[in-house]
Amino acid sequence: MACPFFRRADSLTRQPSVIAEPGGHWALEDEELSDDALTLTHLQMAIQLLTAPSNEDLNTAVTSLVAKYRQNWPNIHKLKLDPQVFKSCANYDYLADIQELLLKMDEASASEILVLLGEELITCCCTGIIERAFRCLGTDLQEFLGSLDGVYDVLKLQEEDVTDTGFVCAGEGELIFTSERPVIAWLLLGSLKALTRMLYKVDVNIKIEPVEGDARRYRYLFSLVKDNSQTMLMGRPTSVSKTIPETVQRSNSSNASDLQMNSSSFCKMFPWHFIMNEQLELVQLGRGFSKLYKPYMADFGCQATTYFDFKRPKGLTMKFRDIVRRTYTPFLIGLNNPPGAVDFPAIGLEIKGQMVHCPESNSLLFIGSPFLDGLDGLTCNGLFISDIPLHDATREVILVGEQARAQDGLRRRMDKIKNSIEEANSAVTKERKKNVSLLHLIFPAEIAEKLWLGSSIDAKTYPDVTILFSDIVGFTSICSRATPFMVISMLEGLYKDFDEFCDFFDVYKVETIGDAYCVASGLHRASIYDAHKVAWMALKMIDACSKHITHDGEQIKMRIGLHTGTVLAGVVGRKMPRYCLFGHSVTIANKFESGSEALKINVSPTTKDWLTKHEGFEFDLQPRDPSFLPKEFPNPGGTETCYFLESFRNPALDSELPLVEHINVAMKTISEGGDA
């Protein structure tokens, strides 16, 4: 027989499955309790195992189901799924796929398989802290069902859940479950069966039937399996024995007039209560309600709905029998403005409590407490602390709420101060980075760090530093024919390219004075290729000149001099400090520049030795007449001369390729080789 409540897969609205942390574990945030401490989060996880099981839990249950019932249903293995499928998609609806496969496989047995799957879900996944969470709901099955109703209602309120999913304990052995998904209803049937066996060691028969007039609601009717030795009272076994003598016990009267406490004392002890008869008429009010409503009430017998707005449970029909069926659900009642009241102070005050059916008088008793979180809420409704009885925990809730509010205010102020400090630190860090970046533009990295830390910087001697000096031929004549702005614009365009060359070749820019541009290599990071880098930069500088023209359309012509030697370097000055180079080698390098020619690179003998010391680099060096060697250059044997650097070629490349290609490959070679 086909399942009468089973909808076709094409009519099912797919909903996202419960999203858990990777690995199927729930994230318990900011918990400072011990690992085995039971919390509200665990209770929520337990109930969600019934109403919205995760993909991981379902897959575990399906695996166990297939192992047990493969022979009963040969195609049941199709329900198994690779966990990677739903792990890669957070909103994968595994339960909908299970439904579709069951309908295709064996529609007549679909509901039976789902019930068994629900049992496996509890057997496999209800362990450890989750089992403890279920056990805390009640000592027997009836208490369990009632707590399931109330606790789930509170959890939904905390999460601001507006869905209709929920439980209603409608009476002895009766549970109503609401869900948009019939597949969940059948899964729940099996889960409830397994839970009663696990928690209370009893077997139950559960009959499921739809609630007339609402296709989303399902009624579960529990009947306990009896044997000859025990009588089961909703999960609590009571041994029947005729040998135990009956104890004398005072009989309980069913007459309300026999109550040992009169109504006046009851109204004093429980100020926030009222009693309704079958017609929902008020027959008794506690002192708290009387204080608010007595001036506006002629006599009892008024309808409760005139003075009270039943806000929860939602969807409650105001009929005596329906209210009796919801006595396991928390009630939230708001106070209405009484007829004839102009300025009612407690309008909107909410009372949270429980509805109790009193069969001896066939009436309903509501006992509750004002739903407040602080003193302001108390006084705004015309109430005082004395209106809350001593036994009522609402007093502590109000005072603790005030304390929490003060702590929250302090925390907000501290957070505001913290944010201000963090913003200030962020601004300081940003400015510090600007200062550090500026120092790195002016000084070598090692010197910049010492300056930032305020350390003293001693002058230091550096051997084998290759220095480049350059100037523009005819610069004085150019300046005489151009405005200062034209000259600055010309130099800005030219020096912008030169600065990029410095970054590319990792050489240190010493200074620029007018048309003079000076760089050095071997100061901040010494290597055997310092002379090579400066020579390549000189070649690119000459090449860059062809792309820049003066204001009157003439090509800029530079002359460059290179020399390698020992220099003394140090920081000079406190205001606008400069990193200056001193020594005979600096003077000689300047002489090689002044002794050069337009669009030529004059190279000293020491630099020439460094350029030809290592194989794999072919520099075209044309010797000049020895008379062009500066007089300041030491030449004991008279055999030295200077050279014009014409070009560079990388032996691994075609000589017809542009100069820039040869230089780029050479730079890559020394970079990969560690730039020793």
Side-chain angles (χ1 to χ4, degrees):
M1 178 180 176
C3 171
F5 313 122
F6 218 90
R7 297 179 190 168
R8 288 289 183 179
D10 54 5
S11 66
L12 176 69
T13 303
R14 287 181 175 249
Q15 298 178 358
S17 60
V18 178
I19 300 174
E21 293 293 317
H25 302 292
W26 293 81
L28 308 178
E29 299 180 349
D30 300 331
E31 291 195 358
E32 298 180 358
L33 302 175
S34 61
D35 294 338
D36 59 347
L38 186 63
T39 66
L40 188 64
T41 304
H42 299 121
L43 192 58
Q44 183 178 22
M45 292 162 56
I47 294 179
Q48 285 191 341
L49 185 63
L50 302 179
T51 60
S54 67
N55 287 332
E56 289 79 5
D57 290 340
L58 282 172
N59 198 48
T60 302
V62 166
T63 303
S64 177
L65 184 73
V66 171
K68 288 184 180 180
Y69 301 101
R70 183 187 295 270
Q71 294 181 353
N72 300 49
W73 296 286
N75 294 325
I76 200 173
H77 69 277
K78 295 181 180 179
L79 298 180
K80 290 181 65 175
L81 194 67
D82 184 2
Q84 297 300 325
V85 174
F86 50 79
K87 282 184 179 179
S88 61
C89 182
N91 293 329
Y92 184 82
D93 198 342
Y94 186 21
L95 196 55
D97 283 353
I98 291 175
Q99 176 181 354
E100 292 175 6
L101 289 170
L102 285 176
L103 288 174
K104 293 177 182 178
M105 183 180 69
D106 189 354
E107 185 174 349
S109 303
S111 58
E112 182 181 356
I113 295 175
L114 277 176
V115 172
L116 293 173
L117 180 60
E119 295 185 25
E120 293 301 321
L121 188 65
I122 295 300
T123 302
C124 299
C125 303
C126 183
T127 58
I129 197 73
I130 303 301
E131 181 182 350
R132 287 179 55 199
F134 276 124
R135 288 189 183 278
C136 78
L137 292 178
T139 57
D140 58 36
L141 180 56
Q142 187 58 43
E143 291 181 2
F144 174 84
L145 298 178
S147 298
L148 199 62
D149 178 351
V151 170
Y152 187 66
D153 194 61
V154 172
L155 292 175
K156 285 182 60 177
L157 181 66
Q158 287 191 347
E159 292 187 348
E160 299 182 355
D161 188 353
V162 296
T163 62
D164 291 332
T165 304
F167 300 95
V168 174
C169 183
E172 190 78 11
E174 182 178 351
L175 182 71
I176 296 177
F177 176 65
T178 304
S179 176
E180 293 282 351
R181 313 182 75 189
V183 63
I184 291 288
W186 285 95
L187 204 67
L188 177 63
L189 193 153
S191 298
L192 291 173
K193 278 187 176 183
L195 274 174
T196 55
R197 286 196 299 268
M198 176 183 293
L199 303 180
Y200 308 113
K201 309 302 180 185
V202 294
D203 288 324
V204 293
N205 293 323
I206 305 178
K207 180 182 178 182
I208 184 173
E209 60 183 29
V211 175
E212 186 177 354
D214 192 346
R216 301 171 306 163
R217 306 182 73 194
Y218 303 87
R219 178 180 288 110
Y220 299 84
L221 300 175
F222 293 76
S223 59
L224 300 174
V225 178
K226 297 182 180 180
D227 57 28
N228 296 328
S229 62
Q230 291 183 326
T231 301
M232 298 295 180
L233 298 177
M234 290 309 291
R236 193 179 303 163
T238 304
S239 297
V240 179
S241 176
K242 296 183 179 180
T243 62
I244 300 176
E246 294 184 2
T247 57
V248 178
Q249 182 178 359
R250 184 177 178 179
S251 62
N252 294 325
S253 172
S254 61
N255 189 355
S257 61
D258 291 339
L259 183 65
Q260 298 298 310
M261 180 173 58
N262 60 33
S263 60
S264 176
S265 299
F266 194 88
C267 291
K268 179 181 179 181
M269 192 62 186
F270 302 100
W272 302 101
H273 87 276
F274 61 80
I275 299 177
M276 301 184 295
N277 59 20
E278 288 185 86
Q279 289 74 39
L280 302 186
E281 295 174 342
L282 295 173
V283 296
Q284 182 173 302
L285 285 178
R287 180 176 292 183
F289 286 128
S290 295
K291 179 181 177 181
L292 297 173
Y293 281 130
K294 205 62 172 173
Y296 308 102
M297 297 178 68
D299 199 357
F300 288 108
C302 303
Q303 284 290 318
T305 53
T306 304
Y307 298 94
F308 302 112
D309 177 20
F310 290 76
K311 296 184 175 181
R312 288 176 49 211
K314 294 182 179 180
L316 178 69
T317 55
M318 294 307 298
K319 295 180 180 179
F320 185 85
R321 187 171 182 274
D322 290 337
I323 296 176
V324 170
R325 296 168 66 90
R326 301 303 298 269
T327 52
Y328 291 95
T329 306
F331 274 70
L332 184 65
I333 295 175
L335 271 58
N336 291 334
N337 193 41
V342 179
D343 188 14
F344 184 61
I347 184 71
L349 176 65
E350 294 179 336
I351 311 295
K352 186 177 182 181
Q354 180 180 4
M355 198 72 71
V356 181
H357 180 224
C358 306
E360 67 276 7
S361 59
N362 201 25
S363 60
L364 284 168
L365 166 65
F366 172 81
I367 297 181
S369 302
F371 193 42
L372 305 168
D373 63 349
L375 291 172
D376 188 59
L378 190 73
T379 57
C380 287
N381 288 284
L383 302 180
F384 303 91
I385 291 182
S386 60
D387 291 322
I388 311 297
L390 293 174
H391 66 79
D392 196 335
T394 305
R395 278 188 174 222
E396 282 69 28
V397 171
I398 292 173
L399 297 177
V400 170
E402 288 298 322
Q403 182 182 10
R405 207 183 329 273
Q407 292 175 346
D408 288 342
L410 178 61
R411 184 164 54 250
R412 282 194 296 270
R413 289 194 295 272
M414 294 298 293
D415 288 343
K416 188 175 181 180
I417 295 173
K418 178 185 175 183
N419 292 335
S420 299
I421 294 174
E422 288 178 349
E423 290 176 2
N425 285 339
S426 178
V428 170
T429 302
K430 187 180 291 186
E431 291 301 318
R432 182 186 293 118
K433 288 181 179 179
K434 290 181 181 178
N435 294 339
V436 172
S437 299
L438 183 61
L439 286 174
H440 277 277
L441 289 175
I442 302 175
F443 301 99
E446 180 183 356
I447 303 301
E449 182 178 357
K450 289 183 178 180
L451 282 174
W452 174 251
L453 296 175
S455 304
S456 59
I457 302 173
D458 299 327
K460 185 177 179 180
T461 299
Y462 296 90
D464 303 322
V465 175
T466 302
I467 306 171
L468 177 152
F469 274 98
S470 69
D471 67 354
I472 299 175
V473 177
F475 182 71
T476 304
S477 176
I478 293 173
C479 292
S480 65
R481 302 192 306 270
T483 64
F485 287 105
M486 293 178 181
V487 176
I488 292 174
S489 178
M490 177 188 68
L491 294 178
E492 170 66 19
L494 186 63
Y495 289 172
K496 182 180 178 181
D497 288 348
F498 292 175
D499 291 343
E500 291 178 358
F501 298 159
C502 288
D503 292 336
F504 180 76
F505 293 108
D506 193 23
V507 298
Y508 175 65
K509 178 182 177 181
V510 180
E511 63 179 351
T512 57
I513 302 176
D515 65 324
Y517 194 96
C518 177
V519 300
S521 183
L523 288 173
H524 64 299
R525 195 176 294 108
S527 90
I528 60 175
Y529 300 110
D530 290 329
H532 298 66
K533 295 177 182 179
V534 176
W536 290 329
M537 180 169 176
L539 289 170
K540 293 198 71 172
M541 290 172 68
I542 295 297
D543 183 64
C545 289
S546 62
K547 303 172 185 177
H548 295 272
I549 58 175
T550 64
H551 65 285
D552 49 8
E554 295 182 3
Q555 178 186 339
I556 294 178
K557 298 179 181 179
M558 299 198 72
R559 57 181 182 179
I560 299 175
L562 307 183
H563 175 60
T564 302
T566 301
V567 299
L568 179 69
V571 178
V572 178
R574 293 186 177 273
K575 279 192 174 183
M576 296 182 63
R578 303 299 299 272
Y579 189 63
C580 300
L581 306 183
F582 301 92
H584 189 60
S585 296
V586 179
T587 304
I588 293 178
N590 195 13
K591 293 294 183 180
F592 275 100
E593 175 263 322
S594 59
S596 184
E597 298 177 1
L599 299 177
K600 292 290 185 178
I601 304 170
N602 195 23
V603 178
S604 73
T606 54
T607 302
K608 181 257 184 185
D609 292 341
W610 276 100
L611 293 179
T612 57
K613 185 180 295 186
H614 305 286
E615 297 181 356
F617 305 96
E618 296 183 3
F619 289 92
D620 184 4
L621 295 165
Q622 300 297 326
R624 301 181 66 190
D625 190 275
S627 61
F628 290 107
L629 194 69
K631 296 178 181 179
E632 293 80 2
F633 186 84
N635 188 11
T639 58
E640 299 286 358
T641 185
C642 51
Y643 302 83
F644 275 144
L645 175 59
E646 300 292 343
S647 65
F648 166 77
R649 178 179 176 272
N650 193 316
L653 297 180
D654 186 355
S655 59
E656 299 298 325
L657 290 174
L659 172 66
V660 65
E661 294 290 339
H662 289 266
I663 293 176
N664 289 344
V665 172
M667 277 295 296
K668 185 177 180 181
T669 300
I670 65 174
S671 297
E672 292 175 351
D675 196 9

